[in-house]
Amino acid sequence: MKVPGRSNARRFAGRFIIVLMLAGPCLSHAAIAQDEKAVEGFPTVFQRGITLWSDGTRLSGVLLYPKDRGEDEKSPAIVMCNGWGGTKAFLMRSGIAARFAAAGYVVINYDYRGWGDSDSRLVVRDEMPEPDEDGYVTVKAQAIRDVVDPVDQQQDIDAAISYVYGEPMVDKERIGIWGTSFGGGHVIYRAAHDRRIKCVVAQVGSMPDDRAKRNPAALDGIYKGKSDRARGVADPVPQGGGSPGGLKGTPYWEHILSFAPGQYADRVKVPTLLIDAEKEHYFKIEENSGRVHEILKQNGIPTEYHVLKGKAHYDVYSGECLDDVMKLEIPWFDKYLKTED
């Protein structure tokens, strides 16, 4: 692995800017058209593979958009946020991402760092050598994958929003965000902290408030874990599984237990649709989306809360239940992201 050191950052940045200036004209409509292709099962939707950067890590993504959009047309955008262990491949297989694009949106679908096709988080365990004259070092690094870390994932979500914010096809004033399961909490947190977000949809979302208020003793365990990692007693990044309920990946518990998106509900100022499954088994819906909905309603924020009768957590991803969910979500985005005729 070879990376630039700080001593030559200015020179490296200067060359990077020059390269961007030279490369700019090459990113023509013809080049983009050559890379795009129709989405299987959705002949009216194009897809194009993209690379986006998140805090120095390269993420793999795909843009989806209507085939019949005008060359200079500015469309509303939807940023997808996967759940625990979710990948962009699932949102493609299920047709969820393509359904939004078929409805007239530019959709960004991507893998969090260390998941799917995105690059791994790298940990250098040996001593870092001195950089060479070009500011590079060659090191042996460990690739860390499949870690569920809401801190890293929030950085990746920010990168996805930033990517579409600069996308020529997108109207930057009409960006919505969609999240499912663990990602349902992500979108509440992001909407509370990011003025670029104009509309929210969260389905079967985990969005607890401050856990420490209900269980102050839990903080002792969090702080002990943080201390062990800082002092090198524990691995710098957790690895080895341990996800609950048969879920994939390794949870970064110190970060997860400190991540309480529901406590920021009173800072959300944009229209928010919340959907739960009546037979949810991962959390109590009344303490998550139900609670957030009441706060938004009290604050006068446009909001709807739907509980899918007789449905379980995973039912929302396929079949008739997915059809019913889409009949709620697409009109919600249409109402708040599409300009009136």
Side-chain angles (χ1 to χ4, degrees):
M1 171 187 175
K2 204 172 185 183
V3 295
R6 290 184 178 179
S7 60
N8 290 281
R10 180 175 298 178
R11 179 170 53 179
F12 176 78
R15 285 187 291 182
F16 183 64
I17 292 171
I18 292 172
V19 169
L20 284 179
M21 292 174 66
L22 292 174
C26 297
L27 303 177
S28 62
H29 290 294
I32 291 174
Q34 187 176 8
D35 189 44
E36 65 187 9
K37 60 181 180 180
V39 177
E40 184 177 356
F42 293 86
T44 66
V45 175
F46 273 152
Q47 63 177 327
R48 171 164 51 92
I50 60 170
T51 295
L52 52 155
W53 289 89
S54 174
D55 195 28
T57 301
R58 184 168 30 218
L59 307 184
S60 172
V62 59
L63 278 185
L64 301 94
Y65 42 92
K67 185 176 181 180
D68 61 355
R69 62 174 302 278
E71 185 173 306
D72 298 319
E73 180 181 351
K74 298 287 186 179
S75 302
I78 297 174
V79 178
M80 310 293 285
C81 299
N82 249 308
W84 190 297
T87 63
K88 71 178 188 299
F90 171 74
L91 294 180
M92 296 299 290
R93 282 196 313 272
S94 63
I96 294 173
R99 289 192 190 209
F100 286 123
Y105 294 91
V106 174
V107 177
I108 184 168
N109 179 20
Y110 55 97
D111 288 323
Y112 296 130
R113 68 186 72 181
W115 289 87
D117 297 320
S118 287
D119 282 0
S120 305
R121 179 175 180 175
L122 299 181
V123 173
V124 179
R125 296 186 178 274
D126 298 331
E127 291 294 323
M128 184 80 73
E130 289 294 320
D132 64 19
E133 61 180 8
D134 293 318
Y136 285 87
V137 295
T138 300
V139 296
K140 182 179 180 180
Q142 182 183 12
I144 306 296
R145 299 197 64 79
D146 299 344
V147 174
V148 181
D149 184 350
V151 177
D152 280 356
Q153 289 176 357
Q154 275 293 329
Q155 289 281 347
D156 299 344
I157 293 166
D158 181 80
I161 297 168
S162 299
Y163 191 99
V164 297
Y165 189 82
E167 171 58 44
M169 292 189 293
V170 169
D171 180 346
K172 63 182 64 176
E173 298 301 322
R174 295 188 288 154
I175 298 176
I177 194 165
W178 175 96
T180 188
S181 194
F182 198 65
H186 274 311
V187 300
I188 296 299
Y189 181 91
R190 181 50 51 181
H193 292 84
D194 198 323
R195 295 182 180 181
R196 294 171 296 183
I197 299 302
K198 306 302 182 185
C199 182
V200 176
V201 169
Q203 62 175 40
V204 293
S206 170
M207 50 190 76
D209 64 351
D210 189 352
R211 293 180 176 90
K213 291 191 300 185
R214 300 196 304 271
N215 184 13
L219 280 176
D220 294 336
I222 293 173
Y223 294 153
K224 174 64 164 58
K226 287 177 177 287
S227 178
D228 288 347
R229 295 196 195 284
R231 298 173 64 84
V233 177
D235 198 290
V237 181
Q239 300 166 78
S243 289
L247 294 170
K248 296 165 57 178
T250 300
Y252 202 136
W253 283 121
E254 295 100 272
H255 290 175
I256 291 171
L257 295 176
S258 300
F259 182 61
Q263 75 179 104
Y264 301 102
D266 61 346
R267 294 175 56 174
V268 175
K269 305 301 181 185
V270 296
T272 301
L273 173 67
L274 300 150
I275 299 173
D276 267 332
E278 183 184 35
K279 295 184 177 181
E280 177 63 59
H281 66 284
Y282 285 121
F283 46 80
K284 296 180 179 179
I285 62 175
E286 62 271 14
E287 294 178 359
N288 289 266
S289 289
R291 173 184 169 275
V292 169
H293 171 66
E294 290 301 320
I295 292 173
L296 295 175
K297 188 167 61 173
Q298 291 171 13
N299 290 345
I301 305 302
T303 181
E304 288 184 10
Y305 181 43
H306 298 267
V307 178
L308 305 173
K309 300 299 181 182
K311 301 302 181 181
H313 186 88
Y314 292 105
D315 289 338
V316 299
Y317 300 118
S318 62
E320 184 179 347
C321 188
L322 173 58
D323 293 338
D324 292 341
V325 166
M326 284 290 164
K327 290 174 184 176
L328 295 171
E329 295 178 351
I330 290 175
W332 186 263
F333 280 130
D334 287 349
K335 183 175 180 179
Y336 294 104
L337 292 183
K338 288 190 176 179
T339 56
E340 296 181 359
D341 294 334

